[in-house]
Amino acid sequence: MRINFETAAKLIKDNDNFLILTHENPDGDTIGCAFAICRALQLLEKKAKVECFDKIPPMFEFIPESVEKQDFEEEFIIAVDLATLELLGDEDYIEKYRNKINLCIDHHSSNTLFAEYTLLEAEPVAAAAAETVLMLIGHLGVEIDEVIANCIYVGISTDTGCFRYFNTTSRSLRMAADMIDCGCDSGNINKIMFETKTKTYAALEKMALGTTEMHFGGKCAIITITREMFNESGSDDSECHPITAKPRQIEGVLVGATIREMKDGAFKISVRTNPPVNASEICAGMGGGGHMRAAGCELRCSYEEAKAILLENIKKILEM
Amino acid sequence: MRINFETAAKLIKDNDNFLILTHENPDGDTIGCAFAICRALQLLEKKAKVECFDKIPPMFEFIPESVEKQDFEEEFIIAVDLATLELLGDEDYIEKYRNKINLCIDHHSSNTLFAEYTLLEAEPVAAAAAETVLMLIGHLGVEIDEVIANCIYVGISTDTGCFRYFNTTSRSLRMAADMIDCGCDSGNINKIMFETKTKTYAALEKMALGTTEMHFGGKCAIITITREMFNESGSDDSECHPITAKPRQIEGVLVGATIREMKDGAFKISVRTNPPVNASEICAGMGGGGHMRAAGCELRCSYEEAKAILLENIKKILEM
């Protein structure tokens, strides 16, 4: 059931002992949301803790380190930035929480309403789920401290490519401004998130960009990341997110896609588009989903088959 | 003489037939400022035109195209984003305007107060001169239309690296938000300014990054751009600005510098720093100047000498 901010705030005030769940392969938005809520609940004198199926990438580690760790038996479960239960973790983990999530706070228009209650500000209203979380914290009457400000800023800035993607709204910018005024360390966060390349990442990026293939008269660019590249560069999956933005940057490209070989042999497809192409439509044809300009899916087949399926789905949308 | 916003607004209201000058090698801030004021003056039913010593780079051409071209004899000269008269153009051009500039609107703390009147919001108050121009337009009582909104947004976003550099303040973000609400086409501007690589730029970037040299135990990275690289890539000087941000991005680097061979054989040095290193102090030692985190100078000598001078000046500041 979809609920509004007032109802969500009341629900939270009436409960205690919160467990907050992120999506798998956690990004800045889901991590920022989870720890912002966790901190806000703790400031309301409630018990709250965060759980994440995957390891939190090193660049985001300062966030959990800034929030108190509490140990207790959970009574109320919140999921953040989670469009479908299937994006929570592996099969066992999904089963553990099936029908147990009380509240989902999200901004994906594709949210399947899997939770008991859903607070959804579908895009384009909220560029990041962190915007929705900030609105909710306002309804809870919690004063924004530096910890919450950093969490919300990380969520909004990472989901908008530091305010440069098409999803950025004037609200995104004003909320970020408010977080700076509440003590957020935006300069250093930007430096870490957007202006630092580790040597391992730089090596991986160079190899990946070397695989760039152009298709459909230059409207589509595809790059490939193999396990061998991770081994050679010393990089790992947690670092490769920024590469997915690169193929879309090439002049004239409408669809930029990345095919990444996963540890288990499957291929993770990331699709980024320029207007008017809808990335989530391309990925819906391959059993995935996401946003207008950023979507993804996973294919269990050979690399050649994965690329053929991807190209076929891109072709379909480009010809529409 | 330094004046405040009220006095600057009165000065403008009391005069007519404005010529607005940018600095040489014009960037988004000086171009955005010039055409924002030009448009605001035209909306006040005054005559106004912009003059730029160098060609406006292709990515900014939509800005002059959006403002009416007027022909008249100038009576009042405004310079924007100009720290010293020497940055106006070549020697003849500088002489033409020496002691003729009535008002300078700027944000460089190094402004030499060369104009009759100077409206200066020195950094860190104004991340971009476009912020100061927007404040002034507010004092003039001009309503922000889409044209002005685009100009101001281009100025603020380009001078802050799309809100990711350390100079970005909450005011920068709020002003950008206001410009979006006034009809600025921020999505497409961001796409053109920050998320598109022309094929010629991509080729130049690859060659330039290939020259990366590390110095002082990894605290300094230097890259070189030669005329030969421009010839081979098909790129030109107007495209190479984004490359100057790259050496600073390498993990552990405090000073990232670019040595660019100019058409006349001189070497343009661009220095970008991370806290706590002051880029303008490094360049001051080489007869140049600029900001805390971005500064530059020109050296007339051989490439080897230029690099030696640069390294010596960097060493001095790193050892302080």
Side-chain angles (χ1 to χ4, degrees):
Chain A
M1 189 171 83
R2 282 186 69 167
I3 57 173
N4 62 19
F5 284 106
E6 288 73 20
T7 309
K10 187 169 185 310
L11 200 58
I12 283 174
K13 285 191 171 169
D14 290 347
N15 282 281
D16 201 350
N17 299 318
F18 294 88
L19 170 66
I20 305 148
L21 303 176
T22 72
H23 62 67
E24 62 184 352
N25 303 314
D27 59 10
D29 194 24
T30 198
I31 294 167
C33 284
F35 287 95
I37 294 177
C38 186
R39 173 74 174 178
L41 292 173
Q42 291 179 0
L43 290 174
L44 281 173
E45 312 264 307
K46 303 207 178 256
K47 294 266 180 209
K49 61 184 174 185
V50 174
E51 195 178 278
C52 189
F53 177 73
D54 292 298
K55 194 177 142 277
I56 289 182
M59 65 155 73
F60 299 120
E61 274 169 7
F62 73 98
I63 295 180
E65 283 165 9
S66 70
V67 178
E68 191 194 326
K69 269 162 206 57
Q70 298 183 331
D71 193 27
F72 55 88
E73 193 70 39
E74 64 257 22
E75 292 176 355
F76 192 97
I77 303 181
I78 301 177
V80 287
D81 195 32
L82 187 68
T84 74
L85 193 67
E86 284 60 43
L87 292 168
L88 200 59
D90 69 11
E91 280 180 31
D92 288 348
Y93 195 74
I94 290 167
E95 283 318 310
K96 182 177 170 190
Y97 290 111
R98 192 179 293 282
N99 299 321
K100 297 255 176 67
I101 295 174
N102 303 98
L103 173 64
C104 177
I105 306 169
D106 190 26
H107 72 128
H108 293 85
S109 48
S110 57
N111 188 292
T112 57
L113 305 182
F114 59 87
E116 187 183 357
Y117 300 102
T118 303
L119 176 63
L120 178 67
E121 275 196 312
E123 291 180 292
V125 176
E131 295 187 16
T132 312
V133 167
L134 181 61
M135 296 285 288
L136 177 61
I137 290 173
H139 279 83
L140 287 170
V142 175
E143 203 177 320
I144 308 298
D145 66 358
E146 287 176 26
V147 173
I148 296 176
N150 281 339
C151 291
I152 298 294
Y153 185 86
V154 165
I156 299 176
S157 63
T158 53
D159 255 28
T160 57
C162 206
F163 315 108
R164 64 175 61 171
Y165 297 159
F166 280 95
N167 62 350
T168 311
T169 67
S170 58
R171 186 178 86 166
S172 315
L173 291 164
R174 278 198 193 96
M175 285 179 162
D178 291 344
M179 295 307 98
I180 292 176
D181 290 343
C182 290
C184 154
D185 189 11
S186 56
N188 282 310
I189 292 174
N190 292 343
K191 171 72 192 151
I192 297 167
M193 306 283 146
F194 308 109
E195 286 288 312
T196 303
K197 288 185 184 179
T198 62
K199 282 161 193 127
T200 51
Y201 170 80
L204 179 68
E205 186 189 86
K206 201 173 163 185
M207 292 180 211
L209 294 185
T211 69
T212 309
E213 284 177 26
M214 304 301 293
H215 294 273
F216 310 124
K219 284 192 195 129
C220 167
I222 293 182
I223 65 174
T224 301
I225 307 175
T226 62
R227 296 320 297 176
E228 201 186 330
M229 290 181 197
F230 284 119
N231 292 339
E232 272 185 46
S233 63
S235 183
D236 62 34
D237 291 274
S238 74
E239 280 200 326
C240 67
H241 186 73
I243 295 178
T244 58
K246 303 291 174 190
R248 177 176 61 181
Q249 289 174 350
I250 301 166
E251 194 179 15
V253 165
L254 292 174
V255 183
T258 307
I259 306 175
R260 169 161 56 105
E261 186 183 356
M262 307 290 282
K263 278 182 187 153
D264 64 0
F267 291 94
K268 165 97 182 131
I269 312 286
S270 300
V271 175
R272 303 288 180 268
T273 59
N274 284 316
V277 182
N278 188 332
S280 86
E281 276 181 27
I282 293 172
C283 291
M286 300 181 286
H291 307 280
M292 275 286 280
R293 307 279 170 249
C297 65
E298 223 174 280
L299 297 174
R300 300 200 163 269
C301 54
S302 73
Y303 171 72
E304 286 68 28
E305 283 167 327
K307 189 155 81 179
I309 292 167
L310 172 61
L311 284 170
E312 189 189 312
N313 279 278
I314 292 172
K315 193 178 172 204
K316 237 186 264 168
I317 301 294
L318 283 179
E319 283 175 351
M320 264 171 63
Chain B
M1 188 171 83
R2 281 186 70 167
I3 56 174
N4 62 19
F5 284 107
E6 288 74 21
T7 310
K10 187 169 184 313
L11 201 57
I12 283 173
K13 285 193 171 167
D14 289 348
N15 282 282
D16 201 349
N17 299 316
F18 294 87
L19 170 66
I20 304 148
L21 303 176
T22 72
H23 62 67
E24 61 185 351
N25 302 316
D27 59 10
D29 194 24
T30 198
I31 295 167
C33 285
F35 286 95
I37 294 178
C38 187
R39 173 73 175 179
L41 291 173
Q42 291 179 359
L43 291 174
L44 280 173
E45 312 264 306
K46 300 203 180 262
K47 293 267 180 209
K49 61 184 174 186
V50 174
E51 195 179 279
C52 190
F53 176 73
D54 291 300
K55 193 177 143 273
I56 289 182
M59 66 157 72
F60 299 120
E61 273 169 7
F62 73 97
I63 295 180
E65 284 165 7
S66 69
V67 178
E68 190 195 328
K69 270 162 207 54
Q70 298 183 332
D71 193 26
F72 56 87
E73 194 70 37
E74 63 257 23
E75 291 175 356
F76 192 98
I77 303 181
I78 301 176
V80 288
D81 194 32
L82 187 68
T84 75
L85 193 66
E86 284 59 43
L87 293 168
L88 200 58
D90 69 10
E91 282 180 31
D92 289 347
Y93 195 74
I94 290 168
E95 284 318 310
K96 183 176 170 190
Y97 290 111
R98 192 179 293 282
N99 299 321
K100 298 255 175 67
I101 296 174
N102 302 98
L103 173 63
C104 176
I105 306 169
D106 191 25
H107 72 129
H108 294 84
S109 48
S110 57
N111 189 291
T112 58
L113 305 182
F114 59 86
E116 187 183 359
Y117 299 102
T118 303
L119 176 62
L120 178 66
E121 275 196 313
E123 293 180 290
V125 176
E131 294 187 16
T132 312
V133 166
L134 181 61
M135 295 286 287
L136 177 61
I137 291 173
H139 279 82
L140 288 170
V142 175
E143 203 177 320
I144 308 297
D145 66 359
E146 286 177 25
V147 173
I148 296 176
N150 281 339
C151 290
I152 297 294
Y153 184 88
V154 165
I156 299 176
S157 64
T158 54
D159 254 28
T160 58
C162 206
F163 315 107
R164 64 174 61 173
Y165 296 159
F166 280 95
N167 62 349
T168 311
T169 68
S170 58
R171 186 179 84 165
S172 316
L173 291 164
R174 280 200 190 93
M175 285 179 161
D178 291 344
M179 295 307 98
I180 292 175
D181 290 342
C182 290
C184 154
D185 188 11
S186 56
N188 281 311
I189 291 174
N190 292 344
K191 172 72 191 152
I192 296 167
M193 306 283 147
F194 308 108
E195 286 288 312
T196 303
K197 288 185 184 180
T198 62
K199 281 160 193 129
T200 52
Y201 170 80
L204 179 68
E205 186 189 83
K206 201 171 165 186
M207 291 179 212
L209 294 184
T211 70
T212 308
E213 284 177 26
M214 304 301 293
H215 294 273
F216 310 126
K219 285 193 193 128
C220 167
I222 294 183
I223 66 172
T224 301
I225 307 176
T226 63
R227 295 320 299 175
E228 202 187 328
M229 290 180 196
F230 283 120
N231 292 340
E232 270 184 47
S233 62
S235 182
D236 62 36
D237 290 275
S238 74
E239 279 199 327
C240 67
H241 186 73
I243 295 179
T244 59
K246 303 288 173 191
R248 177 176 62 181
Q249 289 174 350
I250 301 167
E251 195 179 13
V253 165
L254 292 174
V255 183
T258 307
I259 306 175
R260 169 162 56 106
E261 186 183 357
M262 307 290 283
K263 278 183 188 151
D264 64 1
F267 291 94
K268 165 98 182 129
I269 312 286
S270 300
V271 174
R272 302 289 181 267
T273 58
N274 284 318
V277 183
N278 187 331
S280 86
E281 276 180 27
I282 293 172
C283 291
M286 299 182 287
H291 306 279
M292 277 287 280
R293 307 279 170 250
C297 66
E298 223 174 281
L299 297 174
R300 299 199 163 271
C301 54
S302 73
Y303 171 71
E304 286 68 27
E305 284 167 326
K307 188 155 82 179
I309 292 168
L310 172 61
L311 283 170
E312 191 188 309
N313 279 278
I314 291 171
K315 193 178 172 206
K316 238 185 265 169
I317 300 293
L318 283 179
E319 283 175 354
M320 265 169 65

